[in-house]
Short mmCIF file of all heavy atoms in Angstrom, two decimals:
data_model
loop_
_atom_site.label_atom_id
_atom_site.label_comp_id
_atom_site.label_asym_id
_atom_site.label_seq_id
_atom_site.Cartn_x
_atom_site.Cartn_y
_atom_site.Cartn_z
N ASN A 81 14.21 -31.27 -3.90
CA ASN A 81 14.90 -30.11 -3.35
C ASN A 81 14.75 -28.85 -4.19
O ASN A 81 14.95 -27.75 -3.68
CB ASN A 81 16.38 -30.42 -3.17
CG ASN A 81 16.61 -31.47 -2.12
OD1 ASN A 81 15.77 -31.72 -1.28
ND2 ASN A 81 17.76 -32.11 -2.17
N TYR A 82 14.41 -28.99 -5.47
CA TYR A 82 14.35 -27.81 -6.33
C TYR A 82 13.05 -27.71 -7.13
O TYR A 82 12.30 -26.76 -6.98
CB TYR A 82 15.55 -27.79 -7.30
CG TYR A 82 16.86 -27.73 -6.56
CD1 TYR A 82 17.61 -28.87 -6.37
CD2 TYR A 82 17.31 -26.54 -6.01
CE1 TYR A 82 18.80 -28.84 -5.67
CE2 TYR A 82 18.50 -26.49 -5.30
CZ TYR A 82 19.23 -27.64 -5.13
OH TYR A 82 20.39 -27.60 -4.43
N LEU A 83 12.82 -28.70 -7.98
CA LEU A 83 11.70 -28.58 -8.92
C LEU A 83 10.34 -28.62 -8.24
O LEU A 83 9.42 -27.90 -8.66
CB LEU A 83 11.80 -29.66 -9.99
CG LEU A 83 13.03 -29.57 -10.90
CD1 LEU A 83 13.00 -30.67 -11.94
CD2 LEU A 83 13.14 -28.20 -11.55
N GLY A 84 10.19 -29.44 -7.21
CA GLY A 84 8.91 -29.48 -6.49
C GLY A 84 8.58 -28.15 -5.86
O GLY A 84 7.44 -27.67 -5.92
N HIS A 85 9.60 -27.51 -5.26
CA HIS A 85 9.39 -26.19 -4.66
C HIS A 85 9.04 -25.15 -5.73
O HIS A 85 8.16 -24.31 -5.54
CB HIS A 85 10.66 -25.72 -3.94
CG HIS A 85 10.97 -26.51 -2.72
ND1 HIS A 85 11.86 -27.55 -2.74
CD2 HIS A 85 10.54 -26.42 -1.45
CE1 HIS A 85 11.96 -28.07 -1.52
NE2 HIS A 85 11.16 -27.40 -0.73
N PHE A 86 9.76 -25.21 -6.84
CA PHE A 86 9.53 -24.25 -7.92
C PHE A 86 8.11 -24.39 -8.45
O PHE A 86 7.40 -23.38 -8.62
CB PHE A 86 10.54 -24.47 -9.05
CG PHE A 86 10.34 -23.55 -10.22
CD1 PHE A 86 10.79 -22.24 -10.16
CD2 PHE A 86 9.69 -23.99 -11.35
CE1 PHE A 86 10.60 -21.39 -11.24
CE2 PHE A 86 9.49 -23.15 -12.42
CZ PHE A 86 9.94 -21.85 -12.38
N LEU A 87 7.68 -25.62 -8.71
CA LEU A 87 6.33 -25.84 -9.22
C LEU A 87 5.28 -25.37 -8.22
O LEU A 87 4.32 -24.68 -8.59
CB LEU A 87 6.13 -27.33 -9.55
CG LEU A 87 4.74 -27.73 -10.04
CD1 LEU A 87 4.37 -26.97 -11.31
CD2 LEU A 87 4.70 -29.24 -10.28
N LEU A 88 5.47 -25.68 -6.94
CA LEU A 88 4.52 -25.25 -5.92
C LEU A 88 4.43 -23.73 -5.88
O LEU A 88 3.33 -23.16 -5.82
CB LEU A 88 4.92 -25.80 -4.55
CG LEU A 88 3.98 -25.46 -3.40
CD1 LEU A 88 2.59 -26.03 -3.64
CD2 LEU A 88 4.55 -25.96 -2.09
N THR A 89 5.55 -23.06 -5.93
CA THR A 89 5.56 -21.59 -5.93
C THR A 89 4.81 -21.05 -7.14
O THR A 89 3.98 -20.14 -7.01
CB THR A 89 7.00 -21.05 -5.93
OG1 THR A 89 7.66 -21.51 -4.76
CG2 THR A 89 7.02 -19.53 -5.97
N GLN A 90 5.07 -21.60 -8.31
CA GLN A 90 4.40 -21.12 -9.52
C GLN A 90 2.89 -21.31 -9.44
O GLN A 90 2.13 -20.45 -9.88
CB GLN A 90 4.95 -21.84 -10.75
CG GLN A 90 6.39 -21.49 -11.06
CD GLN A 90 6.60 -20.00 -11.22
OE1 GLN A 90 5.96 -19.35 -12.05
NE2 GLN A 90 7.48 -19.44 -10.42
N LEU A 91 2.46 -22.42 -8.86
CA LEU A 91 1.03 -22.70 -8.78
C LEU A 91 0.32 -21.85 -7.74
O LEU A 91 -0.86 -21.53 -7.89
CB LEU A 91 0.80 -24.19 -8.48
CG LEU A 91 1.25 -25.15 -9.59
CD1 LEU A 91 1.19 -26.59 -9.10
CD2 LEU A 91 0.42 -24.95 -10.85
N LEU A 92 1.02 -21.48 -6.66
CA LEU A 92 0.39 -20.69 -5.60
C LEU A 92 0.67 -19.19 -5.70
O LEU A 92 0.05 -18.40 -5.00
CB LEU A 92 0.85 -21.21 -4.23
CG LEU A 92 0.38 -22.62 -3.88
CD1 LEU A 92 0.89 -23.03 -2.50
CD2 LEU A 92 -1.14 -22.73 -3.95
N LEU A 93 1.56 -18.81 -6.58
CA LEU A 93 1.90 -17.39 -6.72
C LEU A 93 0.69 -16.51 -7.04
O LEU A 93 0.55 -15.43 -6.45
CB LEU A 93 3.00 -17.21 -7.76
CG LEU A 93 3.63 -15.83 -7.84
CD1 LEU A 93 4.23 -15.42 -6.49
CD2 LEU A 93 4.71 -15.80 -8.93
#
Side-chain angles (χ1 to χ4, degrees):
N81 294 340
Y82 299 100
L83 296 181
H85 291 97
F86 178 79
L87 178 59
L88 182 61
T89 299
Q90 293 305 303
L91 294 171
L92 294 180
L93 190 58

